[in-house]
Amino acid sequence: MKGSKLGIRLLYYFGGFFVMTIGIALSVKSNLGVSPVSSIPYTMTCVWGIEMGVATVIFHVILVILQMLLMRRRFECKNLLQIPVGMVFGAFTTTCNTLVAMFPSTDNLIIRLLMCWIATVFVAIGIFFYVPADIMPLAGEGAMLAISTLTGKIAFDVSMVIISLITCLIFLHGLGSVGIGTVIAALLVGIELRMITHRFGRWRDNLLGKQSEI
């Protein structure tokens, strides 16, 4: 599968990235908190004023260094490609944040919660396309896999949220990047991804030329 249908795989891969960053931008716009894996880059934006796309790239570099420290000799040089991949993801984040920022802001909690839920759908759709392309994981996934024997995905996500929360409380004296939207994302993205995969996974896998696992 890896050597075939490269064009479709690249379309899935980068298209999935772009759809995910639309979801991230919507969660930022809702101002109710972002998903766990986006919490640290957004915290860097809130606390130090670093543009979120740039913060995303910096965060990816830090996570790659973390993988190198944890895996040592088991770290593969190809995983350094997570840095340019993170640069693309950061550029998409900047673009989508700029586009979504043009939408009018609102204090209506119902609309903000709706925006937050729509954000989780976009993130789930992005993962649905990006992961099966099987090209190069984002640094967050790479780091999570590197420490999976010690913790696991849930513990990794929780640690990201705790770091963000503590940083925001210290520097902003508020929740900052963490909020009800963070909880909504943590609860819903996985459920939505399973639902989307159940409904459209066979079609996606057929286009990729791979055996469907559904």
Side-chain angles (χ1 to χ4, degrees), residues 150-190:
L150 299 176
T151 58
K153 186 182 186 309
I154 294 177
F156 180 78
D157 286 348
V158 169
S159 66
M160 296 297 99
V161 173
I162 290 175
I163 292 171
S164 299
L165 180 59
I166 292 174
T167 303
C168 289
L169 288 174
I170 291 174
F171 289 95
L172 300 177
H173 307 292
L175 297 180
S177 63
V178 180
I180 185 62
T182 307
V183 177
I184 291 173
L187 293 175
L188 292 187
V189 170

Side-chain angles (χ1 to χ4, degrees), residues 1 7 24 64 75 108 121 142 161 169-170:
M1 182 280 244
I24 292 170
V64 170
F75 182 84
N108 187 303
V121 175
V161 173
L169 288 174
I170 291 174

Side-chain angles (χ1 to χ4, degrees), residues 12 16-17 19 29 31 43-44 46 52 63 75 77 81-82 114 131 133 142 166 176:
Y12 277 17
F17 277 2
V19 173
K29 185 69 175 180
N31 199 29
T43 295
M44 295 167 68
C46 295
M52 192 173 175
L63 289 178
F75 182 84
C77 289
L81 291 174
Q82 292 172 8
L114 180 62
V131 172
I166 292 174

